[in-house]
Amino acid sequence: MDNQHLWHSVINSLERKFSKTNLITWFQDVDIKQQKDNQVTIAVPNIFVKEWLHNKFEKDLLKTFQNFSPDIQNIKYVISKSSGHLDLRRSKNNKAQTLIDDISQPQIEFYQNRISGLNPKYTFQNFIVGQFNQLAHACALSILKKAGSINPLFVYSGVGLGKTHILEAIGNETINERKKKKVKYIPCPNFTSQIINAIRNQGIEKVVDVYSNFDVLIVDDIEFLAGKERTQEVFFRVFNNIKENDKQIILSSDRPPHSIENLEERLRSRFEGGMIADISFPDYEERLAILEEKIEERGGILPQEILEFIAKNIKKNIRELEGALTKALIIFEQERSFEKVKNALENIILEPRKKLSADKIIQTVCDFYNISQREILSKTRKKEVVLPRQTIMYLLREEINLSLPSIGVKIGNKDHTTVGYACEKIEDKIKKDGEFIKDIEVLKERIYST
Ligand code: ADP
Ligand code: MG
């Protein structure tokens, strides 16, 4: 892969792991100089950046390079004025704020097996099963018993509810049981960038060949296929080959197949042809069980009342549950006081509620249905616009209790009777249309996730 292209791929991957501010601060003036003898040389603007990359990012950076170019064994830094050519400079940044962001962000664990792409920390032993994820778990067991028994398995849920965990656990367990099985785990954006490379290098046939030969192929966050026509084409071929050979395909997404925009019909129907398992929210007891598992894993100690406090207050996202636990452990160790922990957590707990604004609802629905705010606010009665518009009105009333007239104003000066009618329409649809209920659930999850 040529330098520029390799660098683009690396940055793309990093973008999924680090905040935008972080990337801008540390990578905007960085560039690849050369790849030679298993070493990649990167040019950095000054010693400060060099130290940071070396001390804080090197492990992640190297792993990411290796994902695209497995021969690379180490990274060399040279200070040079040549500035990066990546368009990371969309917003002004502030180094002090970035440092704070960086420290307060949990360090991303980034261990991956180079061949399978699997992270061994995701296992069934540390995966709590409850009603909320029972179906996905049962499907996973069935696949472990007999690969190809459910094809594909399509798992979907909101963020932080265990999709990646269960997908990787299936992969890890498959390898544990039979070392010879060829398992591949890949996030969809990485798959897409491989396809783009392959198109440039006339290597598509090879990619199809390699991917068709896995015993278990796991593609995470498949919603990223939306609108990527060539990738969809290639994936379709891979999918058919694997399925014909009775090998296993496992996919995850943040939404059910019918809600993925710009997905070829033939792929959608393939995705719907196996088993679709959604993961919902854990209930109180399940959240407590998860916290107990996590605390045991970390070997920490917290009074039961603190665990209960966390379980009671964080409901929608297991990653946030873990974040709160980490914070509680640190503060409790220093202060030995439930009150102090409670105060510290109050910020995390209250924040998402405070942030919920009409704009967030409008933007979330627009993104989901892939239409612009301008169309929502316009007078058009096109079917593609009317449903999202009505959905927004409904959510504004249900989730932030806005009055009908003020909803009307927000939505492009519509009359309050129009708003009332819209809310009734949606309530009606929720009662009758099973698929739509799921869309509403997905939307609510997104509205409340930060
Ligand atoms: P998603 O892919 O749906 O965004 P992840 O799989 O990354 O979510 O899960 C987020 C975090 O929550 C991970 O650290 C994962 O280990 C943890 N987690 C999710 N589900 C469970 C579960 N059922 N039991 C234990 N930990 C879980
Ligand atoms: Mg995930």
Side-chain angles (χ1 to χ4, degrees), residues 24-269:
I24 293 168
T25 310
W26 302 112
F27 290 97
Q28 76 171 2
D29 292 322
V30 176
D31 202 356
I32 294 200
K33 266 251 156 1
Q34 128 182 114
Q35 311 171 53
K36 206 178 155 196
D37 304 334
N38 302 341
Q39 174 170 287
V40 57
T41 305
I42 58 183
V44 296
N46 56 46
I47 181 93
F48 185 56
V49 172
K50 175 181 163 177
E51 290 295 305
W52 262 83
L53 292 185
H54 179 62
N55 294 332
K56 293 219 50 152
F57 292 111
E58 185 155 296
K59 234 168 90 196
D60 291 352
L61 199 55
L62 186 59
K63 288 261 147 60
T64 312
F65 270 122
Q66 288 170 343
N67 280 344
F68 298 99
S69 181
D71 295 335
I72 294 176
Q73 297 299 336
N74 68 68
I75 300 175
K76 186 178 159 191
Y77 305 89
V78 293
I79 294 170
S80 144
K81 285 275 163 276
S82 94
S83 65
H85 46 255
L86 293 168
D87 182 26
L88 290 170
R89 272 164 265 212
R90 264 159 272 160
S91 56
K92 281 261 172 294
N93 64 315
N94 162 340
K95 286 220 163 128
Q97 184 57 42
T98 308
L99 283 173
I100 293 166
D101 286 351
D102 195 55
I103 291 160
S104 58
Q105 259 177 19
Q107 271 307 307
I108 296 107
E109 281 179 65
F110 195 61
Y111 179 85
Q112 279 181 348
N113 180 296
R114 257 176 58 194
I115 297 161
S116 67
L118 288 164
N119 182 332
K121 81 167 185 178
Y122 295 118
T123 66
F124 282 102
Q125 284 73 45
N126 60 14
F127 188 77
I128 301 291
V129 182
Q131 238 174 16
F132 73 108
N133 58 10
Q134 207 162 34
L135 178 59
H137 184 252
C139 293
L141 294 187
S142 158
I143 286 171
L144 286 172
K145 218 159 159 196
K146 186 172 181 326
S149 60
I150 294 171
N151 230 348
L153 169 60
F154 188 105
V155 179
Y156 80 91
S157 78
V159 286
L161 289 166
K163 295 183 293 296
T164 297
H165 191 136
I166 194 161
L167 260 56
E168 296 213 37
I170 301 174
N172 283 319
E173 188 65 24
T174 304
I175 293 178
N176 282 346
E177 283 179 1
R178 300 222 190 102
K179 292 262 173 306
K180 291 220 177 80
K181 288 274 180 192
K182 284 189 284 179
V183 177
K184 181 72 181 175
Y185 166 87
I186 185 161
C188 188
N190 298 22
F191 182 72
T192 302
S193 68
Q194 283 189 9
I195 300 301
I196 295 167
N197 286 340
I199 290 170
R200 287 197 188 144
N201 308 326
Q202 272 98 45
I204 285 290
E205 294 310 313
K206 178 144 184 256
V207 173
V208 171
D209 202 44
V210 168
Y211 278 91
S212 301
N213 272 306
F214 290 114
D215 295 305
V216 179
L217 175 62
I218 304 168
V219 186
D220 207 353
D221 300 320
I222 197 78
E223 72 274 10
F224 281 92
L225 277 186
K228 316 261 171 29
E229 285 156 21
R230 289 299 297 278
T231 310
Q232 290 186 23
E233 216 177 288
V234 174
F235 188 68
F236 183 71
R237 291 179 57 198
V238 170
F239 189 104
N240 288 338
N241 290 341
I242 294 199
K243 206 169 162 204
E244 266 162 32
N245 296 330
D246 289 325
K247 308 285 178 67
Q248 180 67 50
I249 299 178
I250 308 172
L251 307 171
S252 85
S253 166
D254 66 347
R255 54 183 89 184
H258 77 265
S259 306
I260 304 177
E261 298 285 334
N262 298 320
L263 182 69
E264 278 182 45
E265 198 42 49
R266 55 183 189 167
L267 266 180
R268 188 190 319 279
S269 72

Side-chain angles (χ1 to χ4, degrees), residues 360-371 376 387-389 391-392 395 443 447:
K360 171 110 193 238
I361 290 181
I362 296 171
Q363 191 56 51
T364 307
V365 176
C366 285
D367 289 346
F368 186 81
Y369 288 105
N370 204 8
I371 56 177
I376 290 289
L387 179 68
R389 189 190 285 138
T391 304
I392 290 174
L395 289 171
L443 281 168
I447 287 167

